[in-house]
């Protein structure tokens, strides 16, 4: 640090001044400070030509390692000096552990690369995938996370072609250690990989145990609406935004893939009818990708609402976010805003929980808490239950159980049908007896003393047939009294005789004979 203080101030990017041959200058996107680099990969914060220039080294350390130590020490010093201030008043950047690894040129920086392997959107170094990025492979699978020297290396999320999702650490394209797998049915598993096989080699976990998902937690954060076009000036230093598509939205939330939505969404089928969360950026020195192109891709996918998330951990609501309608430079797309969209801070990212119902709620325009010209509100996840489907194993077992039970029922039905067809006349007669005579229902239907509403309307033809059956089984003399009662009932209903069951209609001798019978 003392040697750095004795050096002349570093050259600003684009400022006049001679750089040693082979040296270039760029600006650190995190802190805004200039740094110097060579085509061979050397980087440092000091102006080239000082004692710590290329090839000098100290203590056997490379120039890159010396520069890393210096920036880390200075960043920690600046950060600690402002630790007592509110975040809005801090000017120092967070401490970093390494120099910015990328310079935006043909072989470095943020690029979209399409080849036989698939489509890559992310950072590259020396022409290889390096840093955060998203890769969609030719077979339909995806990886979103860290890359190193062209391979998946570090934490990330691997999406299989059947939409199963694996969150695990990668080492040289191979899953390693513990991870969490959500299969295509939505069931979660704790899995462990030994790192011996790559994903392209159909790596399988050495252990797999079903584990419930993390429950969705109620949460809420502030947001502000995007103005459509330039704010209109209504007074001196007073501007009002144009909010033509502001309305509250309640739907399940999906994270955009790729996160920056700088290409048509890879998960467009999942986005339809839902709120989609899209990351702002990519950060400098990457080519700018505005809200307009991201919104076009979200609207084409059928999103019900869009939440843009800042990429800066220290970002605040310092400027009114804006999206412009019309043709988008560098593309053939034309934007017409039809979907509600808002902007939220990076530090509130944990509020967003994929798969849960979220609400975008905008405050009324005249609300006193709205800054002049702004429309603010909340993005919140209300209390709700997590919904988990059956695993494939359980689903197959349940279907097998159902079909086995149905098969057994069909066998029993077949056996009953065969038995019914092969019955003899005597067996059929016995069945009729058990159904018609033992229960006593027929007697009650013919006895006028026990007639009720349900049995009083017995069809005459059916009744006559039943009486003939009784005469055949019990003899005509034993059934004569029932026939006389039936005839009296029919005559009473037709109005041709006295009503049964009334005083004076029968003689005492007849009453005594009926009681005895």
């Amino acid at each position: 640090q003392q040697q750095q203080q004795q050096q002349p101030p570093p050259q600003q990017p684009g400022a006049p001044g001679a750089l040693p041959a082979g040296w270039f200058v760029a600006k650190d996107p995190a802190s805004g400070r200039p740094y110097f680099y060579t085509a061979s990969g050397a980087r440092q914060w000091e102006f080239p030509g000082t004692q710590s220039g290329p090839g000098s080294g100290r203590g056997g350390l490379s120039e890159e390692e010396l520069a890393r130590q210096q920036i880390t020490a200075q960043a920690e010093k600046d950060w600690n000096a402002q630790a007592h201030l509110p975040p809005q008043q801090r000017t120092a950047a967070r401490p970093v552990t390494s120099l910015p690894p990328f310079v935006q040129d043909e072989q470095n920086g943020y690029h979209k690369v399409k080849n036989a392997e698939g489509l890559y959107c992310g950072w590259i170094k020396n022409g290889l995938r390096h840093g955060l990025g998203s890769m969609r492979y030719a077979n339909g699978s995806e990886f979103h996370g860290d890359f190193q020297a062209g391979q998946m290396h570090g934490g990330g999320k691997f999406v299989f072609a059947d939409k199963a999702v694996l969150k695990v650490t990668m080492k040289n394209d191979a899953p390693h250690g513990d991870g969490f797998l959500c299969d295509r049915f939505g069931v979660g598993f704790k899995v462990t990989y030994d790192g011996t096989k790559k994903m392209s080699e159909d790596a399988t976990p050495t252990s797999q145990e079903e584990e419930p998902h993390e429950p969705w937690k109620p949460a809420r954060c502030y947001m502000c609406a995007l103005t459509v076009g330039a704010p209109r000036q209504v007074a001196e230093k007073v501007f009002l935004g144009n909010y033509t598509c502001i309305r509250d939205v309640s739907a399940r939330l999906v994270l955009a893939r790729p996160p920056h939505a700088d290409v048509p969404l890879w998960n467009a089928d999942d986005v339809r009818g839902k709120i989609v969360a899209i990351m702002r950026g990519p950060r400098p020195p990457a080519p700018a990708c505005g809200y307009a192109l991201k919104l076009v891709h979200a609207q084409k996918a059928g999103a019900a609402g869009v939440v843009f998330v800042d990429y800066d951990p220290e970002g605040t609501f310092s400027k009114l976010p804006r999206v412009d309608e019309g043709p988008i430079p560098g593309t053939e797309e034309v934007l017409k805003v039809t979907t509600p969209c808002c902007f939220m801070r990076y530090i509130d990212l944990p509020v967003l929980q994929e798969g849960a119902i979220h609400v975008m709620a905008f405050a009324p325009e005249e609300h006193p808490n709205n800054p002049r010209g702004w429309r603010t509100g909340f993005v919140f996840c209300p209390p709700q239950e997590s919904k988990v489907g059956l695993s494939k194993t359980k689903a197959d077992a349940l279907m097998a159980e159902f079909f086995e039970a149905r098969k057994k029922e069909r066998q029993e039905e077949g056996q009953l049908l065969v038995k019914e067809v092969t019955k003899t006349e005597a067996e059929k007669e016995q069945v009729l007896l058990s159904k018609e005579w033992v229960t006593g229902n027929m007697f009650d239907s013919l006895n006028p003393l026990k007639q009720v509403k349900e049995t009083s309307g017995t069809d005459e033809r059916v009744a006559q047939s039943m009486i003939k059956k009784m005469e055949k089984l019990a003899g005509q003399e034993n059934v004569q009294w029932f026939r006389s009662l039936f005839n009296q009932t029919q005559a009473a209903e037709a109005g041709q005789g006295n009503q049964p069951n009334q005083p004076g209609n029968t003689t005492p001798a007849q009453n005594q004979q009926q009681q005895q019978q």
Side-chain angles (χ1 to χ4, degrees):
Q1 291 178 2
Q2 292 177 355
Q3 292 177 358
Q4 185 178 4
Q5 293 174 1
Q6 297 172 2
Q7 300 165 6
Q11 178 191 24
Q12 297 296 327
L19 280 172
W23 282 95
F24 305 91
V25 63
K27 181 183 289 186
D28 174 18
S31 64
R33 296 177 58 187
Y35 67 96
F36 304 91
Y37 67 96
T38 66
S40 62
R43 293 187 298 269
Q44 64 182 47
W45 294 102
E46 300 88 354
F47 189 86
T50 61
Q51 293 180 357
S52 58
S56 61
R58 289 198 301 269
L61 299 177
S62 65
E63 300 302 331
E64 185 173 353
E65 188 64 28
L66 289 173
R68 181 181 293 111
Q69 292 181 359
Q70 291 175 1
I71 184 55
T72 301
Q74 185 63 37
E76 290 179 352
K77 180 179 178 181
D78 296 342
W79 181 262
N80 294 332
Q82 298 184 5
H84 64 284
L85 298 176
Q88 296 82 353
Q89 300 180 16
R90 298 176 188 169
T91 58
R94 284 181 178 272
V96 295
T97 58
S98 64
L99 286 171
F102 305 117
V103 175
Q104 191 66 32
D105 56 28
E106 292 183 358
Q107 296 294 318
N108 301 278
Y110 185 91
H111 289 270
K112 288 175 280 188
V113 181
K114 187 175 183 180
N115 51 32
E117 193 176 2
L119 174 61
Y120 175 73
C121 301
W123 298 90
I124 66 174
K125 181 180 180 182
N126 298 327
L128 299 176
R129 297 187 292 270
H130 193 93
L132 285 176
S134 297
M135 181 70 190
R136 182 176 176 87
Y137 295 94
N139 63 0
S141 60
E142 306 168 16
F143 180 72
H144 307 268
D146 291 321
F147 289 84
Q148 181 174 308
Q151 295 182 318
M152 296 179 286
H153 194 89
K157 176 172 68 175
F158 190 90
V159 182
F160 294 86
D162 64 354
K163 296 186 178 182
V165 178
L166 172 65
K167 296 180 179 179
V168 72
T169 299
M170 295 285 186
K171 288 188 176 181
N172 300 322
D173 280 347
H176 182 82
D178 294 335
F180 185 82
L181 172 66
C182 178
D183 68 10
R184 61 191 180 97
F185 298 101
V187 180
F189 296 90
K190 180 181 178 181
V191 293
T192 303
Y193 289 85
D194 57 11
T196 57
K197 282 189 175 183
K198 298 181 179 182
M199 296 303 296
S200 58
E201 300 171 342
D202 297 330
T204 56
T206 56
S207 66
Q208 179 172 317
E209 181 181 353
E210 190 164 341
E211 184 175 273
H213 292 261
E214 287 289 334
W216 292 323
K217 300 177 181 179
R220 183 184 71 170
C221 69
Y222 289 101
M223 60 83 163
C224 67
L226 273 71
T227 176
V228 179
R232 62 187 187 277
Q233 186 172 0
V234 296
E236 185 178 358
K237 296 183 180 181
V238 178
F239 296 87
L240 297 181
N242 301 310
Y243 306 103
T244 56
C245 296
I246 295 302
R247 61 181 180 273
D248 292 354
V249 179
S250 177
R252 296 195 179 275
L253 183 127
V254 176
L255 302 179
R257 303 199 314 261
H260 295 298
D262 48 350
V263 297
L265 295 178
W266 299 343
N267 58 338
D269 293 341
D270 300 331
V271 170
R272 184 171 301 278
K274 300 182 178 66
I275 298 173
V276 59
I278 300 175
M279 293 298 297
R280 178 188 169 212
R283 63 175 179 83
C289 179
Y291 297 118
L293 184 60
K294 302 172 186 286
L295 189 54
V296 163
H297 294 153
Q299 290 186 163
K300 284 187 174 182
V306 180
V307 178
F308 293 108
V309 184
D310 195 5
Y311 60 75
D312 184 4
E314 294 298 313
T316 60
F317 298 110
S318 57
K319 294 181 180 180
L320 183 62
R322 163 185 170 181
V323 59
D324 293 323
E325 292 185 321
I328 301 175
T331 70
E332 298 180 356
E333 304 289 353
V334 178
L335 173 63
K336 175 63 178 177
V337 180
T338 59
T339 303
C341 49
C342 65
F343 177 83
M344 59 179 283
R345 299 176 300 174
Y346 178 88
I347 59 174
D348 295 322
L349 189 58
V351 172
L352 305 182
Q353 302 166 67
E354 189 168 21
I357 295 176
H358 287 65
V359 179
M360 296 167 52
F362 296 91
E365 186 175 359
E366 64 277 4
H367 196 278
N369 290 340
N370 277 332
R372 187 68 182 272
W374 291 53
R375 287 291 299 275
T376 60
F378 294 100
V379 174
F380 64 92
C381 178
Q384 57 195 284
E385 293 184 1
S386 299
K387 184 179 180 180
V388 178
L390 290 176
S391 65
K392 185 178 185 303
T393 304
K394 289 187 176 181
D396 291 345
L398 186 61
M399 290 300 296
E401 182 181 352
F402 168 78
F403 284 122
E404 184 64 27
R406 187 69 183 128
K407 181 179 179 181
K408 185 177 180 181
E409 291 176 0
R410 298 292 293 180
Q411 291 175 347
E412 293 177 352
E413 291 173 358
Q415 293 173 358
L416 291 175
L417 183 61
V418 171
K419 186 177 180 180
E420 186 68 24
V421 172
T422 56
K423 279 182 180 179
T424 63
E425 289 296 329
E427 291 174 334
K428 294 180 180 179
E429 197 71 29
Q430 186 63 31
V431 172
L432 291 175
L433 287 175
S434 65
K435 291 183 178 180
E436 296 179 8
W437 316 114
V438 177
T439 60
N441 293 338
M442 189 278 297
F443 295 101
D444 291 343
S445 66
L446 293 180
N447 188 352
L449 300 178
K450 295 184 178 182
Q451 281 187 358
V452 294
K453 181 178 180 180
E454 288 76 14
T455 61
S456 61
T458 304
D459 184 81
E460 180 179 359
R461 182 174 57 84
V462 175
Q464 291 290 354
S465 176
M466 296 170 66
I467 290 177
K468 288 181 180 179
K469 193 73 172 180
M470 291 179 61
E471 291 177 348
K472 180 180 178 181
L473 296 173
Q476 185 175 3
E477 63 279 3
N478 296 325
V479 186
Q480 184 176 3
W481 179 73
F482 289 102
R483 179 180 289 277
S484 64
L485 285 179
F486 177 73
N487 291 336
Q488 292 180 18
T489 302
Q490 294 295 321
E493 292 179 353
Q496 298 176 359
N498 294 329
Q499 296 293 332
N501 207 26
Q502 291 186 3
N505 291 339
T506 58
T507 62
Q510 291 175 334
N511 291 337
Q512 182 178 4
Q513 183 180 4
Q514 292 177 1
Q515 292 176 1
Q516 291 176 354
Q517 292 180 354

